[in-house]
Amino acid sequence: MTENTGAKVGGAPGSRGRTTVADVVVEKIAGMAARDVRGVHALGSGFARSMGSVRERMPGAGTGRSATRGVSVEVGEKQAAIDLEIVVDYGVSITDVAGEVRENVISAVERMAGREVVEVNITVSDVKLPDEEDEGEERQRIQ
């Protein structure tokens, strides 16, 4: 966790005290912002996605996919660095998608968490082909 201290004696009431932002908060913000970009099929490597889909099927393991899969962060008092692993849709420009992801993630984290984002490193680990099944999708045996 990180702290943003701005306590001043006699300062504005909004600046008296500390605001702590946990790393997982920045991870979730970055993950959601990256997923919002057209051309991003998923976050995380194929292995991470398949393990996540197994976990999601286990009773009591929670619902939905993890918002932090494929995201790691380093958060300080004033700055954050973010690493993302993404899967892009076939046919999109990887450089354009990466640029849009960076813009979206930086904007969301700086606005919501109040941390200056010093870098967003992106690893494209796969391309989703049109005829490929998603990890975790089960084929129907009977049609």
Side-chain angles (χ1 to χ4, degrees):
M1 282 203 242
T2 62
E3 297 179 2
N4 183 12
T5 59
K8 295 179 185 174
V9 177
S15 66
R16 296 181 196 170
R18 296 177 191 201
T19 302
T20 303
V21 178
D23 291 3
V24 70
V25 172
V26 175
E27 287 175 348
K28 287 182 179 183
I29 293 168
M32 293 303 294
R35 283 185 180 87
D36 283 345
V37 174
R38 186 179 164 277
V40 174
H41 179 74
L43 267 65
S45 66
F47 179 74
R49 291 191 324 272
S50 62
M51 291 306 294
S53 68
V54 169
R55 274 194 305 271
E56 289 166 6
R57 291 187 193 135
M58 296 175 65
T63 59
R65 63 178 140 174
S66 171
T68 61
R69 186 178 311 139
V71 182
S72 63
V73 301
E74 290 181 39
V75 182
E77 287 185 27
K78 297 178 182 178
Q79 297 179 324
I82 300 166
D83 295 323
L84 300 169
E85 186 172 358
I86 67 173
V87 176
V88 297
D89 291 321
Y90 177 79
V92 299
S93 165
I94 292 173
T95 55
D96 290 349
V97 169
E100 289 180 44
V101 166
R102 278 191 187 89
E103 288 179 24
N104 216 30
V105 167
I106 289 169
S107 174
V109 170
E110 288 183 349
R111 180 177 48 85
M112 295 177 68
R115 300 298 186 267
E116 175 192 7
V117 178
V118 295
E119 66 182 9
V120 177
N121 299 311
I122 299 172
T123 301
V124 178
S125 62
D126 202 356
V127 173
K128 168 67 171 72
L129 300 176
D131 59 345
E132 284 182 331
E133 285 187 14
D134 281 334
E135 301 285 333
E137 281 186 6
E138 294 181 20
R139 295 182 186 181
Q140 284 186 319
R141 293 177 61 183
I142 302 173
Q143 294 186 15

